[in-house]
Amino acid sequence: MTATRAEVAIAACSDLFRGAGTILASPVGIVPTVGVRLARLTHAPGLLLSDGEATLYADTPAVDEPFREPEAPLPYAQLFELIARGRRHVIMGAAQLDRHGDQNLSAIGDRDRPARQLLGARAAATNTVNHATSYWVARHSPRVFVDRVDVVTGVGPARARTAGAHRFHDVRRIVTDLAVLDLAGPGDTVALVSLHPGVTLDRVVAATGFPLHIPAGVPETRQPTAEELRLVRERLDPRGLRDREVIAS
């Protein structure tokens, strides 16, 4: 079976949790949510999933269906304990990401007089200095990948070191609709890890608003297996919401 780019991105998000053990997985977005649930059904059965409110659940429903099998309570105080102990991996979105791995969820333009007001800082900084964090970008473009973010919400490694908050800093991957990236470039800058099937290097370079570190021999992002595709298409996203988030072009 031929995988769509959305399905390749789902597999890449699933792979973020290989060997994770029993931790809380907190995805934001359709593709990361399907990816986390795919991981739980295949290589990471110990993942903890919540409804984002105050309960952990034992079942793994489709992305647009509610959980039905409560497993344990997860009050807010316990969530912060998990965060402080590093027992969580969140996949956040980003309005902007810069070459140093800083993220912006707050505003576009001057912080005090923004041209666009966004979600706000929320817990982005806390996430990035306490436990594993990855990013999902559904539209890889120069509007998202900028040389410098307008407002820093999530913290990159250089900024974490400057602030003395680098001990538990762990930004793992940036998964987009075109590629997988990390922060392994010179000076902890953004580097290309793999290209999704059918995506050219020139396209990714043109869609990135800063010089992207490109290692030798960049591989193709792995295709999902036949069983993974079956789970995605028949169980986790049978109504195809993934293709609304990632539009192949």
Side-chain angles (χ1 to χ4, degrees):
M1 293 185 285
T2 301
T4 65
R5 197 152 353 118
E7 291 162 345
V8 170
I10 286 169
C13 288
S14 173
D15 286 347
L16 297 174
F17 295 88
R18 289 193 179 274
T22 304
I23 66 168
L24 179 63
S26 300
V28 178
I30 294 167
V31 163
T33 298
V34 177
V36 163
R37 296 183 188 193
L38 179 63
R40 192 192 215 189
L41 291 176
T42 54
H43 58 81
L47 286 181
L48 303 177
L49 302 184
S50 83
D51 58 356
E53 294 184 6
T55 309
L56 296 174
Y57 285 86
D59 58 325
T60 309
V63 66
D64 56 344
E65 294 179 358
F67 288 101
R68 293 185 174 86
E69 299 176 23
E71 184 173 37
L74 184 66
Y76 223 45
Q78 188 175 342
L79 172 61
F80 279 103
E81 183 178 333
L82 280 174
I83 290 172
R85 290 166 52 206
R87 302 302 300 165
R88 184 183 188 224
H89 186 161
V90 61
I91 306 177
M92 295 194 289
Q96 293 178 324
L97 279 167
D98 67 25
R99 66 191 303 262
H100 299 284
D102 292 326
Q103 171 233 34
N104 176 16
L105 278 175
S106 187
I108 302 298
D110 182 79
R111 185 196 66 176
D112 297 324
R113 298 180 64 86
R116 292 276 192 281
Q117 183 66 53
L118 306 175
L119 282 173
R122 300 178 71 86
T126 303
N127 291 340
T128 50
V129 299
N130 279 282
H131 56 67
T133 299
S134 295
Y135 293 110
W136 161 242
V137 177
R139 300 285 186 276
H140 191 138
S141 77
R143 293 181 63 181
V144 177
F145 289 93
V146 296
D147 191 57
R148 288 282 183 181
V149 298
D150 293 337
V151 180
V152 177
T153 51
V155 181
R159 193 176 292 271
R161 277 194 302 276
T162 300
H166 60 286
R167 183 179 178 190
F168 302 111
H169 185 274
D170 185 12
V171 174
R172 298 273 177 91
R173 287 284 192 274
I174 304 163
V175 180
T176 81
D177 60 328
L178 302 181
V180 178
L181 309 105
D182 64 12
L183 297 176
D188 297 323
T189 54
V190 175
L192 186 60
V193 173
S194 65
L195 295 165
H196 295 344
V199 177
T200 65
L201 178 59
D202 286 347
R203 181 173 180 184
V204 173
V205 169
T208 306
F210 51 77
L212 178 63
H213 178 67
I214 304 168
V218 174
E220 188 173 87
T221 310
R222 80 166 181 93
Q223 297 261 8
T225 67
E227 175 61 11
E228 287 174 322
L229 284 176
R230 185 190 69 78
L231 287 169
V232 169
R233 294 174 181 181
E234 297 179 12
R235 177 167 175 176
L236 296 174
D237 187 22
R239 285 161 286 282
L241 297 185
R242 61 195 179 278
D243 295 320
R244 302 181 193 180
E245 191 168 61
V246 176
I247 301 172
S249 58

